[in-house]
Amino acid sequence: MAYLRVLCLLVLLVPALAAQSPANSPTAEAQKLLDTGRLEEALKALDTLAQQQPEPPGVERLRGMAYYEQGKIQSSVTAFEHAVAQDPADREAMQMEGVALFRTGKPAAAIPLLEQAHLSIPRTNIDSNYVLGLCYLDTRRYDDARKAFATQYGFPPDSPSAYLLAARMMLRRDYLPVADSFAQKALSLNPNLPLAHLLIGQIRLAQSQLTEAVAEFTRESELNPLYGEVYDRLGDTYIRQGDYPKAQEALDRAVLLEPNSPVPFVLLGKVLLKQQDPVMAKMYLDKALAMDPRNYMTHTLLGQAYRALGQSSQASHEFQVAEQIQADAQPKLETVK
């Protein structure tokens, strides 16, 4: 899911980075087609323009944008590369080439392009720093990643917040040891930094160090008693420990603080199923489903609840829905030739 969130953020870059063609430009009509989502028509118009000698400026950049929006990432890399070769001052094409290279799993190749584009044009979209930060992470340039993420959020690069933010990004990409070291650094700079113990607890949970995770979440609840997510995490940890009464107590607190979040309702459904109470489990799971119909875990647990209640057809339906949601969520990556 983290990967999908990254993809969504990268898609949001497109409208912010696409330079608009002036109304009297040769590429104006193609730009209009691109802006209205008529991508195939835009590509045909660009093919016609490419026949001209010399080729009008901006054709290859727009071609790259069209391919990018179609999900043809490798084709977009080629188009943006041509655009930069034609016009080394085309920062939009340069930046989008870097983004597309990252999408094809080439962060080292993306970094120089993203750095140069970022340094050469005013920063108009903070997500460019996010992509650059991810590239730094994937090439183990952790301090550079911290500085990029700090720039994105306007934090001083050596501040406790910068270290904690970088640690959170590292956790999302499963860089657990370095995430831990950065979170600990944040705490050393500010022992009462909000959410630091929560993040360290999540790292401990990912490392299956359940007792340590409980201690960190408990410490966060003492510093930040009205933050509902800490009770979600406590409940989840207690479930993994098999301590269902404590899990239910923590999740009841989470529900009161987060009545519009499906997470504590899903976890409460899980606890109640463990406690052999499918009727109450179904009630909480129905609430979670109303808030997030596309959560495969909710459908899976509902299937278990229906099965425990002897309603086999409903159970089968929920399991099938859960399987389909998981299949739909699998990233569709273009094969790089």
Side-chain angles (χ1 to χ4, degrees):
M1 295 299 292
Y3 179 82
L4 293 177
R5 285 194 293 271
V6 170
L7 292 186
C8 289
L9 283 167
L10 297 185
V11 168
L12 290 175
L13 278 168
V14 173
L17 293 175
Q20 299 298 309
S21 301
N24 59 351
S25 166
T27 58
E29 181 59 28
Q31 177 77 66
K32 182 178 179 181
L33 292 168
L34 187 63
D35 290 343
T36 55
R38 296 155 66 182
L39 303 180
E40 286 296 338
E41 292 178 60
L43 286 168
K44 289 178 181 178
L46 292 167
D47 286 341
T48 300
L49 290 171
Q51 308 277 325
Q52 299 180 15
Q53 293 296 329
E55 182 180 276
V59 168
E60 296 305 318
R61 172 169 38 78
L62 291 179
R63 190 193 306 279
M65 302 302 293
Y67 282 138
Y68 189 93
E69 292 193 30
Q70 286 182 327
K72 298 176 180 178
I73 307 303
Q74 185 57 43
S75 297
S76 75
V77 169
T78 301
F80 290 131
E81 185 178 8
H82 289 163
V84 173
Q86 290 174 349
D87 180 8
D90 189 340
R91 302 306 182 192
E92 291 83 4
M94 185 182 299
Q95 188 151 295
M96 283 308 301
E97 183 185 351
V99 171
L101 282 167
F102 172 73
R103 289 280 302 274
T104 59
K106 298 177 180 177
I111 286 172
L113 294 160
L114 293 169
E115 287 179 334
Q116 188 172 347
H118 170 68
L119 293 172
S120 301
I121 59 174
R123 182 168 61 90
T124 58
N125 188 287
I126 61 174
D127 290 330
S128 61
N129 286 301
Y130 176 70
V131 181
L132 182 57
L134 293 179
C135 289
Y136 285 140
L137 284 184
D138 290 349
T139 54
R140 301 184 180 184
R141 293 172 58 178
Y142 302 125
D143 284 321
D144 287 332
R146 167 173 53 84
K147 293 171 185 176
F149 294 135
T151 299
Q152 179 184 356
Y153 280 82
F155 297 154
D158 297 321
S159 66
S161 298
Y163 276 97
L164 189 63
L165 174 61
R168 182 166 181 174
M169 298 301 183
M170 292 166 184
L171 173 60
R172 287 182 179 177
R173 297 180 77 78
D174 293 325
Y175 296 134
L176 300 183
V178 69
D180 185 35
S181 68
F182 272 53
Q184 296 290 353
K185 176 66 174 180
L187 266 182
S188 72
L189 294 172
N190 181 357
N192 294 317
L193 183 64
L195 306 185
H197 287 283
L198 175 64
L199 186 59
I200 295 172
Q202 290 173 314
I203 295 169
R204 298 289 175 267
L205 190 58
Q207 295 170 324
S208 298
Q209 298 176 9
L210 302 184
T211 301
E212 294 83 352
V214 167
E216 294 293 340
F217 294 140
T218 301
R219 178 60 177 150
E220 184 67 40
S221 70
E222 294 168 352
L223 293 171
N224 205 359
L226 298 184
Y227 190 67
E229 186 180 341
V230 69
Y231 301 105
D232 289 348
R233 299 301 90 220
L234 261 175
D236 187 16
T237 310
Y238 283 133
I239 290 172
R240 299 187 196 197
Q241 288 184 321
D243 193 338
Y244 303 126
K246 284 188 177 180
Q248 185 170 357
E249 179 183 3
L251 292 167
D252 283 341
R253 294 175 181 177
V255 165
L256 293 176
L257 292 170
E258 298 182 334
N260 297 317
S261 170
V263 175
F265 291 96
V266 172
L267 291 173
L268 271 170
K270 190 173 186 178
V271 168
L272 290 163
L273 282 172
K274 295 288 187 180
Q275 294 177 320
Q276 308 299 316
D277 191 348
V279 174
M280 287 297 294
K282 180 180 177 301
M283 182 188 75
Y284 283 107
L285 292 168
D286 282 339
K287 290 183 179 180
L289 190 64
M291 288 183 272
D292 184 6
R294 298 290 296 171
N295 187 320
Y296 83 91
M297 181 57 67
T298 306
H299 287 283
T300 299
L301 293 172
L302 265 175
Q304 294 175 11
Y306 279 123
R307 186 169 58 192
L309 292 168
Q311 300 178 30
S312 57
S313 61
Q314 292 94 327
S316 178
H317 171 73
E318 293 298 334
F319 291 138
Q320 290 175 2
V321 172
E323 289 178 5
Q324 187 60 54
I325 291 173
Q326 282 188 293
D328 292 343
Q330 292 299 314
K332 309 298 189 293
L333 297 179
E334 182 181 2
T335 301
V336 179
K337 297 180 181 180

